[in-house]
Amino acid sequence: MSDHEIKDDLPSNFIRSIIDRNLNENLYQNKKWIGSPGGASHHANAPLDSAKIRTRFPPEPNGYLHIGHAKSIFLNFGLARDYKGACHLRFDDTNPEKEDEEYVRSIIDNVQWLGFDWKFKDEDNLYYASSYFSFMHEAALSLIQSGDAYVDQQTADEIRENRGTLTAAGKNSPYRQQTVDENLTLFAAMKSGKQPDGAMVLRAKIDMASPNINMRDPAIYRIKHAEHHRTGNDWCIYPMYTFAHPIEDALEGITHSICTLEFEDQRPFYDWLLTKLKNNGLLTDPLPKQHEFARLNLTYVVLSKRRLIELVTNQHVSGWDDPRMPTLVGAKRRGYTPAGFKLFTDRIGVSKADSWIDYVTLEDAMREVLNTSCDRRVAVLDPIKLVISNYAEDQVEDCFAPNHPQDESRGKRVIKLTRELWIERQDFMIEPEKKYFRLYPGNQVRLRYGYVVNCTGYDVDKKGQVTTVYCEYLPDTKSGSAGADSVKVKGNIHWVSCKHAVEAKVNLYDRLFKVEHPGANSESYLDDINESSLTSITVQLEENLVNIKPMDQFQFERHGYFICDPDSSSKNIIMNRTVTLRDNWK
RNA sequence: UGGGGAGUCGCCAAGCUGGUUAAGGCACAGGGUUUUGAUCCCUGCAUGCGAAGGUUCGAAUCCUUCCUCCCCAGCCA
């Protein structure tokens, strides 16, 4: 295949268009990279960067990754792979009060689970913003020296008041005209540890009358007497995201810094800062450029960090990895797969339009992937007994079931047939409704992989509930035998031998919220919680499932895809339903 | 009422340096195959591109005006 053909297979979106254009403009042909992050002097004698582009996935280690992050991960790492570039995993740990090592580990696991790493040739591009604190401090000093930053001693309230409003310009701080030396002294005081939190803050000196509020002298360094999970007590001043992020990108030689829409207003500051630092000799071209895309919204799902935390702490779910949670750890336990997420993100595309993706789009992507990857098994979820009256009490017979209907190479397995079987309650009706073609008195169906049977009767308990169904089998009709097709039936039901069945617990999951947009038309999104999002039942599995191991996945025929829970054991098998099969009936 | 964005089929989304009948996916509706009412296959699904004007031989693509929605006033990210 030629490059041209390969390119035709790639999706088209505005970010790829930008990259294509940048590459055609030879924007990075003189870009130097010495193999590790650093400023202008660090890369001064470096060779040309062999990575065509550099992107980054920059999570703050203050929570668990969710499905929305998966979109960003596939975007950033996918772009790097397609363009023969590198994607860095960078922890944006500039706020010590919120961040923790526990999240770092979980994020690393999640990214690897989705199939990515941060290697590029011999580089290991795993970085921490906190590694750049020294450079950031120097950058701040340089800004003070060039007259582009000052230490403001107003209180937080005063700063807020003087910022102005959306329609009215702000007022200059009384400290805005301090000399460079005064600012240097004050900034040193901030760093010295002798100033309490909030006493003063370093601000960029731009324009208090800017129509863009982000340009009204944004705060770039604050005092925070807090222990950082990586730098300990080395610092008591920490850079703000606004200041830190562009620098992180620049030091790592990022070409395309892709973030979500809400940062659009910050792009002017991003460019302002980097240009200043370039003029001050700390950075060189090509400078990274920020591009924004629409974050993922999924119907019936909440993705905001605050709400997710609330769901866990208020115990609406069992934890971060509850299979109903949209976290990656939850999705994994639910049985959602990396390949499914890849298909999903490919399908939804990338754009700048705010949008809500139908939850069914995600489910369908999972079904499509699971359909080919999962072997089939039989499970009766709501058992009633079926007795084959003309089948001997002690007889046991092998039935052969293919592991996958579209892939013979996966072989067959044996399922034992006996006189008494478990079948689904839903596969029998005393009085069939229209178009129902399963079991009812007088009707014939095939016991999948076994014989055709004729329904002869049934028992009910005092409540009128069916307890046992009776039938007679047609001896010449066994699946695979010459006479198998001699009797044509429409219905085909699954079953499990009572004598051989394995009991298990199954968790049936439904959407966590009962409305498309939780919270949109109610007091709180919590009012929209679906109280029956989890149903736990006891079921009968085919005997071949006795040795199932945690995380094994199967399709239970006619039901859906199921995964063996991490807490499952041979004595206590637990299966989680990932997603049902499509069902045109009922 | 300031600034920044976005509006193409029920949900996404190509196309947008103007040029045959406006890609594709999901959903939906029919039909075929089928020992999963699954899968798979076929067919249908916007004379229309937020609205109205205008430029042009020709506009979703260019211009003008208007409408709707989202984001921004943390020493959060």
Side-chain angles (χ1 to χ4, degrees), chain A residues 420-433:
Chain A
E420 297 196 351
L421 310 173
W422 294 115
I423 63 168
E424 296 290 346
R425 182 172 298 280
Q426 289 205 326
D427 285 341
F428 173 78
M429 287 188 95
I430 298 173
E431 296 194 35
E433 53 188 75

Side-chain angles (χ1 to χ4, degrees), chain A residues 180-298:
Chain A
V180 167
D181 284 343
E182 286 170 322
N183 285 319
L184 253 15
T185 305
L186 255 13
F187 190 49
M190 282 174 65
K191 184 172 177 279
S192 73
K194 291 178 186 141
Q195 296 294 329
D197 288 8
M200 45 187 89
V201 65
L202 184 68
R203 290 230 258 171
K205 188 195 271 192
I206 309 178
D207 177 10
M208 288 306 291
S210 172
N212 179 350
I213 290 180
N214 294 288
M215 297 298 268
R216 317 236 266 229
D217 293 6
I220 57 179
Y221 251 103
R222 79 287 218 185
I223 302 171
K224 240 185 220 301
H225 291 274
E227 184 172 323
H228 188 280
H229 71 102
R230 298 199 84 234
T231 60
N233 293 305
D234 293 353
W235 300 88
C236 65
I237 54 172
Y238 292 93
M240 302 283 293
Y241 165 88
T242 311
F243 178 75
H245 208 89
I247 293 175
E248 295 159 24
D249 288 338
L251 296 183
E252 293 179 21
I254 299 302
T255 55
H256 302 268
S257 177
I258 300 164
C259 62
T260 44
L261 254 25
E262 67 268 28
F263 294 103
E264 277 177 318
D265 289 346
Q266 303 219 22
R267 193 171 62 229
F269 180 79
Y270 187 104
D271 293 333
W272 178 94
L273 208 216
L274 262 23
T275 302
K276 289 290 180 193
L277 296 180
K278 182 182 77 174
N279 293 342
N280 290 356
L282 295 186
L283 298 174
T284 51
D285 279 324
L287 262 15
K289 292 292 179 190
Q290 175 180 301
H291 305 282
E292 312 85 13
F293 72 100
R295 61 154 16 100
L296 173 69
N297 291 301
L298 256 191

